[in-house]
Amino acid sequence: MSKKTAKKTPKKVAKKTSKSKIQNTLPDIETNFGEWFNEILFQADIIDYRYNLKGCGVWKGYGFKIRRKYLEIMRDLLDNTPIPHEEMLFPLLIPEDQFMKEKETVKGFESEVYWVTHGGLTPLDVKLCLRPTSETAMYPMVAKWIRSHQDLPLKTYQIANMFRFEGKNTRPLIRVREITTFKEAHTYHESKEDCSEQIREAVEIYKDIFDSLGVPYLITQRPKWDTFPGADYTIAFDSILPHTNKALQNGTIHNLGQTFSKTFDIKFETADGNQDYVYQTCYGISERGIASIVAFHGDNFGLKLPPTVAPIEIVIVPILFKNKEDDVMKVCNDYYKKLKKEGFKVRLDTRKMSTGRKYFHWELRGVPIRVEIGPKDIEKNQIAVVRRDVKGKNFIPNDESIKYLSNLLEDIQQSLHKSAKKRHDELIFRTNDLEEAIDFVDKNKGIVEIPFCGEEECAESIEKRLDGLKFLGIPDRYLLVLNKRVKKEKDIFCSHCMKPVTQYWRIGKSY
Ligand code: 5CA
């Protein structure tokens, strides 16, 4: 967010909301998604980027709680694979010589590394890098732990902050310089086949993570020129964000083969008594997952949180009338306690402000369900239920309400996912006509699949045709490779060199 916008915002809100008429100060999501995105993060108390360092922000209370739920989902999945992933925590600082050991990593990251050069006033003998990713921090230690095939597989992960001196424009949650929510898994195996099996497990874990956030994705094998430094191949989870229709790389899974184990000497004794280098994978995701929740489910009134990550699932707003306040507050309090006891994440809004302002406040923050209780509802022994994702109010008899609310949360979860997926599916287009493909991308309509030969020079020639156009890679390649089910298309020709080819590739604009 620009400092100018950020500083202006609170004043604007305060001024407008101090009048009885409540005004929405969010920019229009359809025509001005970038500003809408910055503003909603700020206004909904998710993250404040007015910190005096580009690309670094402060997680505020509400955002921190969403982030905590996001991490819970991740931890739960990683901790519960048949052979669990062990959570660990490695140092943030990596000595220069250790970082420089892996040539590909150096090439891939040298322009993005922050260096610590002094300890107090004393120049350091060996510069220290702030980890941009942790292969070079982890692998010398793992080399000390693994001795025999009985130590394998070893599956590990850490959740920590990484530093990348991003040259391109930074963007809240999407391209930050301090990545605060970086989950990196690193696994070690006896054979190439075990490694492939791990890639399959990683893909399933990521599917589960994004499915439970209601975030749609495409799985794409990156071109070899866009593979993670040192990896044999990279599989990406891309989500085409609504409104801009640009792809956001939400996570990557890398098959590292033996590149790093050879550099860092991670050897083991095989079952037949020989020595071999371990086979490795690593896979990472970041706060971009939270950016996707915001982008996919938001609207002009604010966030719509899927119940899986909502810090508050239900807010109760008392409808107060003169001389009935005490009765209403008592019923609301009792109902609050009842919901809490049933295990709902519930909040009773007792603040002294108009009900309209309360509605506005919780709508902006995307609370999935609002329950209203007023004197009429008490008389009729009912509650009024309003869901955030679709319009309308329902009156539910009190004694049926627990079951109703619990089903409703499930329904909201499903329907947010379904509508995001439906819109996402409409943004993918396949054509054999390159002109049509370029026009589609140029008009920001989404991602296109075109027949392609896989050569970097051909890709460059096509990329030159349109500013921002990028080759994302081969659709669902991981499945094809792993299951040896490569689907060979017939009678198609590379969109540039016209050689006969058997596969389509994805192209589009990306974040
Ligand atoms: N070591 C591997 C995986 S463990 C790795 O670093 N892969 S990565 O470079 O592709 O990063 C993993 C994921 O982090 C990316 O797919 C992307 O979703 C996210 N990410 C990368 N850079 C940033 C950034 N500057 N801000 C926010 N998220 C980022």
Side-chain angles (χ1 to χ4, degrees):
M1 180 184 323
S2 76
K3 281 185 192 159
K4 219 166 128 207
T5 321
K7 288 205 167 119
K8 212 168 62 190
T9 307
K11 221 168 98 209
K12 205 156 90 187
V13 176
K15 197 167 152 224
K16 295 213 165 138
T17 52
S18 64
K19 295 180 188 164
S20 60
K21 192 163 176 283
I22 304 143
Q23 285 217 15
N24 186 348
T25 58
L26 287 173
D28 180 53
I29 193 169
E30 214 30 75
T31 53
N32 196 357
F33 175 74
E35 274 303 304
W36 175 90
F37 184 74
N38 294 347
E39 279 297 314
I40 189 63
L41 294 182
F42 180 75
Q43 291 191 24
D45 285 325
I46 294 179
I47 200 154
D48 188 341
Y49 276 97
R50 288 175 299 168
Y51 190 71
N52 194 21
L53 249 183
K54 189 175 157 72
C56 301
V58 180
W59 282 99
K60 292 190 73 190
Y62 196 65
F64 197 86
K65 289 193 190 83
I66 296 172
R67 177 177 177 271
R68 196 144 76 187
K69 305 229 85 171
Y70 176 57
L71 293 176
E72 267 169 28
I73 292 172
M74 257 186 243
R75 283 198 165 97
D76 187 47
L77 285 163
L78 290 162
D79 292 348
N80 290 299
T81 48
I83 296 173
H85 293 64
E86 305 283 345
E87 185 168 3
M88 302 188 174
L89 189 58
F90 285 78
L92 163 67
L93 295 171
I94 309 170
E96 184 181 18
D97 46 346
Q98 191 170 315
F99 182 73
M100 293 298 184
K101 218 167 164 178
E102 214 309 294
K103 298 287 170 290
E104 292 297 318
T105 309
V106 173
K107 249 201 286 166
F109 282 101
E110 66 188 349
S111 64
E112 291 182 20
V113 173
Y114 284 91
W115 290 103
V116 176
T117 57
H118 285 70
L121 298 177
T122 316
L124 296 175
D125 293 338
V126 178
K127 280 199 293 182
L128 302 171
C129 111
L130 296 186
R131 61 180 167 215
T133 172
S134 302
E135 287 74 10
T136 57
M138 292 175 167
Y139 299 166
M141 291 303 288
V142 177
K144 297 180 201 293
W145 303 337
I146 294 174
R147 287 282 159 263
S148 110
H149 63 98
Q150 288 160 341
D151 300 323
L152 300 173
L154 175 63
K155 305 189 189 190
T156 69
Y157 72 101
Q158 80 169 356
I159 297 173
N161 44 1
M162 305 289 137
F163 293 84
R164 293 185 184 182
F165 185 66
E166 293 283 1
K168 269 210 231 168
N169 284 345
T170 57
R171 214 183 264 275
L173 299 181
I174 288 177
R175 189 171 297 281
V176 287
R177 287 185 171 174
E178 179 179 9
I179 313 173
T180 59
T181 313
F182 195 82
K183 186 286 303 161
E184 51 180 328
H186 294 259
T187 69
Y188 311 83
H189 308 270
E190 267 185 79
S191 66
K192 214 174 171 156
E193 293 68 37
D194 290 357
C195 211
S196 301
E197 203 45 53
Q198 190 56 39
I199 298 286
R200 202 196 302 265
E201 183 175 78
V203 168
E204 291 310 313
I205 294 170
Y206 279 10
K207 280 183 176 175
D208 285 349
I209 292 176
F210 293 114
D211 285 346
S212 53
L213 308 175
V215 167
Y217 47 79
L218 293 173
I219 302 172
T220 307
Q221 184 176 332
R222 284 280 180 263
K224 53 182 181 308
W225 60 89
D226 198 16
T227 293
F228 184 70
D232 289 354
Y233 64 85
T234 290
I235 290 165
F237 274 64
D238 291 314
S239 299
I240 315 169
L241 294 197
H243 315 296
T244 63
N245 302 339
K246 288 202 288 188
L248 176 67
Q249 177 178 293
N250 246 329
T252 32
I253 300 171
H254 314 291
N255 190 332
L256 301 179
Q258 291 179 309
T259 309
F260 287 88
S261 63
K262 286 182 178 162
T263 306
F264 289 99
D265 205 29
I266 317 178
K267 271 196 274 198
F268 71 103
E269 188 177 297
T270 60
D272 52 20
N274 292 318
Q275 290 283 310
D276 196 5
Y277 293 101
V278 297
Y279 293 80
Q280 294 176 256
T281 77
C282 72
Y283 28 108
I285 45 184
S286 74
E287 48 262 60
R288 285 185 185 178
I290 298 171
S292 298
I293 299 170
V294 171
F296 275 104
H297 309 307
D299 66 11
N300 273 335
F301 299 95
L303 302 173
K304 285 183 202 164
L305 290 178
T308 45
V309 289
I312 302 167
E313 292 167 329
I314 301 170
V315 60
I316 305 173
V317 178
I319 310 296
L320 299 171
F321 282 86
K322 254 210 166 98
N323 304 325
K324 303 266 175 140
E325 288 98 334
D326 290 351
D327 290 353
V328 170
M329 282 314 292
K330 181 174 180 323
V331 174
C332 283
N333 242 314
D334 289 347
Y335 197 65
Y336 163 78
K337 284 184 197 149
K338 184 170 158 179
L339 288 187
K340 212 165 166 71
K341 210 165 137 209
E342 293 287 339
F344 292 100
K345 288 187 287 302
V346 58
R347 173 88 173 259
L348 171 59
D349 192 346
T350 56
R351 291 175 301 170
K352 290 194 171 28
M353 61 165 76
S354 73
T355 40
R357 279 185 73 184
K358 289 182 184 176
Y359 295 169
F360 176 80
H361 178 93
W362 297 115
E363 253 169 29
L364 186 89
R365 283 160 184 74
V367 174
I369 300 175
R370 180 174 82 227
V371 165
E372 301 167 9
I373 303 177
K376 273 222 175 81
D377 303 306
I378 297 174
E379 250 170 50
K380 294 184 177 170
N381 202 18
Q382 68 182 19
I383 58 165
V385 179
V386 179
R387 57 194 280 179
R388 171 64 179 88
D389 61 331
V390 288
K391 291 227 169 317
K393 188 186 283 196
N394 281 314
F395 297 93
I396 308 298
N398 228 324
D399 52 2
E400 293 169 20
S401 65
I402 298 294
K403 189 151 195 316
Y404 179 86
L405 290 172
S406 149
N407 289 341
L408 187 57
L409 283 173
E410 186 54 39
D411 192 41
I412 292 172
Q413 181 74 34
Q414 302 300 337
S415 90
L416 283 175
H417 191 185
K418 215 167 122 192
S419 67
K421 197 166 168 336
K422 185 167 176 288
R423 270 182 291 146
H424 193 258
D425 287 348
E426 287 162 7
L427 302 173
I428 305 148
F429 173 63
R430 179 172 277 203
T431 175
N432 294 348
D433 179 346
L434 181 62
E435 299 311 315
E436 194 181 18
I438 289 179
D439 186 59
F440 188 86
V441 178
D442 190 26
K443 292 195 170 123
N444 299 321
K445 290 185 179 169
I447 298 301
V448 193
E449 296 177 353
I450 54 166
F452 186 63
C453 66
E455 291 305 322
E456 191 170 2
E457 301 81 65
C458 281
E460 277 172 3
S461 304
I462 294 176
E463 284 178 347
K464 272 195 206 127
R465 298 272 312 270
L466 184 68
D467 204 26
L469 179 77
K470 207 180 143 197
F471 269 74
L472 299 172
I474 311 165
D476 296 331
R477 174 75 179 174
Y478 89 98
L479 266 184
L480 308 175
V481 173
L482 292 181
N483 298 337
K484 301 197 172 50
R485 271 201 295 114
V486 180
K487 189 176 164 226
K488 292 204 166 140
E489 304 283 345
K490 287 204 185 94
D491 301 326
I492 55 169
F493 304 89
C494 172
S495 301
H496 184 70
C497 68
M498 301 310 284
K499 263 202 295 241
V501 294
T502 55
Q503 271 169 342
Y504 284 85
W505 280 52
R506 291 187 174 130
I507 60 168
K509 291 188 187 168
S510 70
Y511 277 93

